[in-house]
């Protein structure tokens, strides 16, 4: 087996060599990543040295850690000392940080082997990984379709079998949405549960780092490794890290699960679903206004997932979270505003790209024009506008008030339910170029953004297929620091989920998308 747990157990026991594990994965990358383009860089020689050191430790009777010999892919906006961290932007092409991100250090200390840096939408701004300066990543299920974004490279690497684990960042859904489209598990932890130190910032009050894995148990293992207080991050929560793996076998008997009506509608025949799920008699039951654009096949999988939880002993009912209908609007004012501030540092003066000009002002202008792609420029301009003196109260201020309303609405929902259920993505993986219109693309984040606004944990679990046999993800949301309960429900969904076909890496036909 090539789960992270199985690899680590075998390497720690000495029945499998970390170097042999690594070569198996490097061979798969060499054979298939030319088609997928999950990686911006494959760190083969560094990985071989790390794997050899792990084998030596085992030979000497030392335990390398819970991730011993497990190859891990890191999103290319996580700082890696001596290895280029580009954010898939010409602005940082070739830049090598002088330090490692905290999550890189903790994974390495646990015995993980960095196998490479993965592609992303430039500076993590996108929902399809089409906005990379180095070309798009393709979905391993269909090379003519996107893997989601912005962590599309990390999701594709795990789905394609290039690494058992990967880390990504989630600002508005950038872990969960690509996990859904690629048929794997992705977790956004509670804001502050995992250190952001060494993550190149997009929108600092939203950004959070989390794992991708092929199953819930591997994701729980990785989450446990990277969680914990970090003095280097002022937003890091000084909370104890529970044994996330212990939550997976508890079962959902007695848990209360709320299906968010604004993201699923009232369901079949006016109830959430038929059969055992509670309808109008459910605690906290309410009928919210259904958001447009969520495909029927995706909604059906969520309702089937709710049925499965009810059959397993959970109490399931509808719940309204009214502010989610305003989440997209609030996010696309607040996040660009923060981005316009964070990206002001890229001016050609301190590090990264410099384009010479007649004076400093000209140098700044020419550097930013050459270094940033169109999507990044658009968000900087939107954010600068929202923060301008004449519009700050009308736009940014109101968006922050909506953010507070979102938190209150979630708190009210969690008073009646232990976890909430919704689609992760409104649709299955779409073809390259199908969502070229910005508003159409931004709606890909409809279901995931609310949890970023509230700061609560959320994750995506594969649950069957939708249109054309492509994966559908169900989103499980929980209150702050509620990852244990969230993982308990996710494990139950995984046990009940219909089998998902493996991605056909070879022999996929069709266009490989613009920019290839």
């Amino acid at each position: 087996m090539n789960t992270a747990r199985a690899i680590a157990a075998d390497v720690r026991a000495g029945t499998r060599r970390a170097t042999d594990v690594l070569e198996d994965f490097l061979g798969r990358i060499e054979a298939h990543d030319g088609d997928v383009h999950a990686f911006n860089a494959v760190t083969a020689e560094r990985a071989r040295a790390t794997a050899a050191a792990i084998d030596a430790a085992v030979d000497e009777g030392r335990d390398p850690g819970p991730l011993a010999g497990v190859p891990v892919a890191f999103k290319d906006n996580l700082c890696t000392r001596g290895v280029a961290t580009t954010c898939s932007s010409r602005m940082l092409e070739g830049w090598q940080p002088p330090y490692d991100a905290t999550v890189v250090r903790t994974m390495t200390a646990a015995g993980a082997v960095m196998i490479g840096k993965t592609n992303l939408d430039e500076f993590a701004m996108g929902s399809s990984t089409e906005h990379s300066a180095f070309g798009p990543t393709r979905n391993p299920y269909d090379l003519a379709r996107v893997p989601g974004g912005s962590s599309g490279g990390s999701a594709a690497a795990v789905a394609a079998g290039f690494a058992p684990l990967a880390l990504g960042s989630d600002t508005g859904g950038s872990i969960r949405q690509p996990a859904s489209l690629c048929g794997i598990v992705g977790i956004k932890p509670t804001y502050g549960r995992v250190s952001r130190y060494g993550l190149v910032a997009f929108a600092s009050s939203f950004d959070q780092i989390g794992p991708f894995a092929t199953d819930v148990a591997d994701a729980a293992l990785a989450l446990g490794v990277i969680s914990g207080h970090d003095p280097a991050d002022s937003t890091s929560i000084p909370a104890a890290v529970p044994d996330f793996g212990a939550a997976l076998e508890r079962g959902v008997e007695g848990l209360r699960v709320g299906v968010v009506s604004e993201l699923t509608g009232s369901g079949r025949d006016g109830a959430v679903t038929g059969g055992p799920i509670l309808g109008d008699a459910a605690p906290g039951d309410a009928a919210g206004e259904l958001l447009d654009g969520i495909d029927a096949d995706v909604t059906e999988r969520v309702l089937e997932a709710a049925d499965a939880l009810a059959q397993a002993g959970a109490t399931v009912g509808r719940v309204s979270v009214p502010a989610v209908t305003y989440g997209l609007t609030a996010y696309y004012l607040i996040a660009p505003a923060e981005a316009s501030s964070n990206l002001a540092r890229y001016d050609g003066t301190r590090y990264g790209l410099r384009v010479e000009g007649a004076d400093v002002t000209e140098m700044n202008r020419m550097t930013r024009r050459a270094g940033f792609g169109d999507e990044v420029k658009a968000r900087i301009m939107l954010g600068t506008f929202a923060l301008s003196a004449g519009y700050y109260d009308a736009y940014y201020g109101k968006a922050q008030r909506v953010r507070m309303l979102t938190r209150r609405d979630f708190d009210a929902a969690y008073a009646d339910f232990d976890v909430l259920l919704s689609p992760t993505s409104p649709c299955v993986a779409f073809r390259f170029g199908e969502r070229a219109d910005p508003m159409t693309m931004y709606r890909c984040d409809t279901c995931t953004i609310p949890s970023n606004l509230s700061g609560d944990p959320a994750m995506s679990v594969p649950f069957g297929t939708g249109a054309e046999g492509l994966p559908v993800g169900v989103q499980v949301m929980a209150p702050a620091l509620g990852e244990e309960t969230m993982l308990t429900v996710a494990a139950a969904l995984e046990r009940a989920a219909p089998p998902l076909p493996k991605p056909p890496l070879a022999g996929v036909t069709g266009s490989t998308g613009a920019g290839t």
Side-chain angles (χ1 to χ4, degrees):
M1 292 179 64
N2 269 337
T3 65
R5 306 182 311 288
I7 291 170
D10 288 348
V11 170
R12 295 168 91 178
T15 59
R16 198 172 177 189
R17 306 291 284 179
T19 48
D20 293 337
V21 171
L22 174 64
E23 293 304 328
D24 287 345
F25 283 97
L26 287 174
R28 189 164 180 81
I29 292 169
E30 183 177 2
H32 296 292
D33 195 45
D35 294 326
V36 177
H37 186 206
F39 289 94
N40 285 340
V42 177
T43 54
E45 293 311 309
R46 175 169 169 161
R48 289 184 174 114
T50 303
I54 290 169
D55 286 336
V58 173
D59 292 342
E60 294 168 4
R62 294 182 283 116
D63 184 2
L67 294 179
V70 176
V72 176
F74 293 100
K75 187 174 179 178
D76 201 11
N77 61 349
L78 293 168
C79 287
T80 44
R81 183 177 182 179
V83 177
T85 299
T86 71
C87 296
S88 289
S89 175
R90 298 294 179 191
M91 186 65 78
L92 289 176
E93 188 172 8
W95 177 67
Q96 295 185 6
Y99 64 95
D100 283 327
T102 295
V103 292
V104 174
R105 287 193 291 103
T106 54
M107 292 289 271
T108 303
V113 178
M114 181 174 73
I115 201 168
K117 304 294 292 291
T118 57
N119 197 22
L120 64 146
D121 285 302
E122 185 181 4
F123 282 103
M125 298 181 190
S127 303
S128 65
T129 317
E130 290 176 279
H131 300 294
S132 168
F134 310 128
T137 296
R138 304 173 192 92
N139 193 312
Y141 276 91
D142 185 342
L143 300 182
R145 296 175 186 266
V146 305
S150 65
S151 306
S154 289
V158 172
F162 298 157
L165 296 174
L167 292 188
S169 64
D170 192 310
T171 306
S174 290
I175 291 173
R176 291 159 289 156
Q177 187 253 11
S180 177
L181 270 54
C182 289
I184 59 173
V185 176
I187 298 177
K188 181 200 85 71
T190 301
Y191 184 82
R193 168 74 85 178
V194 175
S195 173
R196 292 184 298 112
Y197 181 74
L199 170 67
V200 179
F202 162 15
S204 303
S205 73
F206 293 97
D207 298 341
Q208 189 65 110
I209 300 165
F212 292 96
T214 55
D215 64 21
V216 173
D218 271 6
L221 173 62
L223 179 62
V225 169
I226 63 176
S227 294
H229 182 245
D230 180 12
D233 177 3
S234 62
T235 63
S236 179
I237 298 173
V241 179
D243 181 359
F244 294 123
L248 306 183
E249 301 301 327
R250 291 176 184 166
V252 297
E253 184 77 35
L255 288 181
R256 301 165 300 165
V257 178
V259 181
V260 180
S261 58
E262 287 83 2
L263 300 177
T264 55
S266 58
R268 309 183 193 113
D269 300 325
V272 175
T273 64
I277 293 185
L278 300 177
D280 292 336
D285 181 60
E289 180 183 353
L290 177 63
L291 286 171
D292 294 332
I294 299 175
D295 289 353
D297 54 343
V298 172
T299 300
E300 188 67 16
R301 298 295 87 75
V302 176
L303 301 180
E304 290 169 359
D307 277 335
L309 293 175
Q311 295 284 359
T315 299
V316 183
R318 282 188 290 136
V319 62
S320 177
V321 187
V324 302
T325 58
Y326 307 112
L328 197 69
T329 304
Y331 174 85
Y332 277 102
L333 286 167
I334 301 170
E338 294 187 18
S340 70
S341 176
N342 280 325
L343 271 63
R345 71 192 71 178
Y346 305 111
D347 56 9
T349 303
R350 287 157 284 196
Y351 57 88
L353 178 69
R354 172 181 292 186
V355 178
E356 299 296 341
D359 53 30
V360 172
T361 300
E362 179 71 5
M363 179 194 70
N364 293 163
R365 185 173 65 84
M366 296 298 291
T367 296
R368 293 167 72 79
R369 174 180 290 178
F372 290 139
D374 290 343
E375 182 64 25
V376 173
K377 291 174 184 174
R379 298 204 192 193
I380 290 173
M381 289 188 289
L382 177 61
T384 302
F385 175 83
L387 291 174
S388 61
Y391 298 98
Y392 182 94
D393 289 332
Y395 294 107
Y396 183 77
K398 283 185 179 179
Q400 289 287 15
R401 288 193 285 275
V402 169
R403 187 176 195 174
M404 182 57 67
L405 286 175
T406 303
R407 288 174 177 158
R408 290 174 180 172
D409 283 356
F410 270 110
D411 287 345
Y414 290 129
D416 291 321
F417 294 96
D418 299 303
V419 299
L420 305 181
L421 223 60
S422 81
T424 304
S425 168
C427 62
V428 298
F430 49 92
R431 295 181 181 276
F432 285 97
E434 274 189 356
R435 298 196 171 215
D437 172 68
M439 283 307 300
T440 305
M441 182 69 76
Y442 294 166
R443 289 192 180 100
C444 293
D445 302 329
T446 295
C447 302
T448 52
I449 278 174
S451 289
N452 293 92
L453 287 166
S454 69
D456 297 329
M459 66 184 292
S460 183
V461 184
F463 202 91
T465 58
E468 301 186 58
L470 294 166
V472 170
V474 171
Q475 182 174 219
V476 184
M477 298 170 277
L481 299 178
E483 282 88 351
E484 285 182 278
T485 304
M486 180 180 76
L487 287 163
T488 296
V489 173
L493 286 177
E494 184 175 68
R495 289 189 290 269
L500 195 65
K502 296 294 183 183
L505 287 179
V508 179
T509 59
S511 168
T512 54
T516 60

